Amino acid sequence: MTDMTGHNSAAEGGIAADRLRSIIERVERLEEERKALAGDIKDIFSEAKSVGFDVKVVKQIIRIRKQEPAEVEEQETLLDVYRRALGM
């Protein structure tokens, strides 16, 4: 079957054009969703700032919550050791 340009719409040069188009369009939709989600996250951080939260610290807490407890404990221990080494 040929399309309006006279090319084979099912496969051009061994490429399944419909499948390729589907993959590209799915990625494009997800990128749009990611962009919208990033905007939503930015709005939430603006809200946090407007009610007096330190956004930098909130982001740090979010990073910590993603880590394993043992990893967090090790980092906190090292931070304490380094602070004491510097007389802080």
Side-chain angles (χ1 to χ4, degrees):
M1 176 176 217
T2 59
D3 62 18
M4 294 180 1
T5 62
H7 293 99
N8 185 338
S9 62
E12 180 70 33
I15 296 175
D18 291 341
R19 184 68 186 264
L20 178 60
R21 184 176 298 105
S22 170
I23 289 169
I24 290 170
E25 289 172 353
R26 286 166 40 210
V27 170
E28 289 172 339
R29 277 193 303 275
L30 289 173
E31 287 176 345
E32 284 299 314
E33 289 178 30
R34 178 171 49 190
K35 185 177 174 182
L37 289 172
D40 292 345
I41 291 169
K42 184 178 177 181
D43 292 345
I44 293 169
F45 284 128
S46 293
E47 176 187 340
K49 185 176 182 177
S50 73
V51 295
F53 291 111
D54 184 318
V55 172
K56 189 185 247 184
V57 175
V58 170
K59 288 179 179 183
Q60 187 175 359
I61 293 292
I62 292 168
R63 278 192 305 276
I64 290 169
R65 287 171 51 108
K66 290 179 185 177
Q67 298 174 342
E68 293 295 322
E71 186 179 352
V72 173
E73 185 178 339
E74 180 182 350
Q75 287 179 0
E76 289 175 350
T77 300
L78 282 173
L79 184 59
D80 187 50
V81 168
Y82 290 1
R83 282 182 176 157
R84 280 188 274 129
L86 296 171
M88 297 174 69

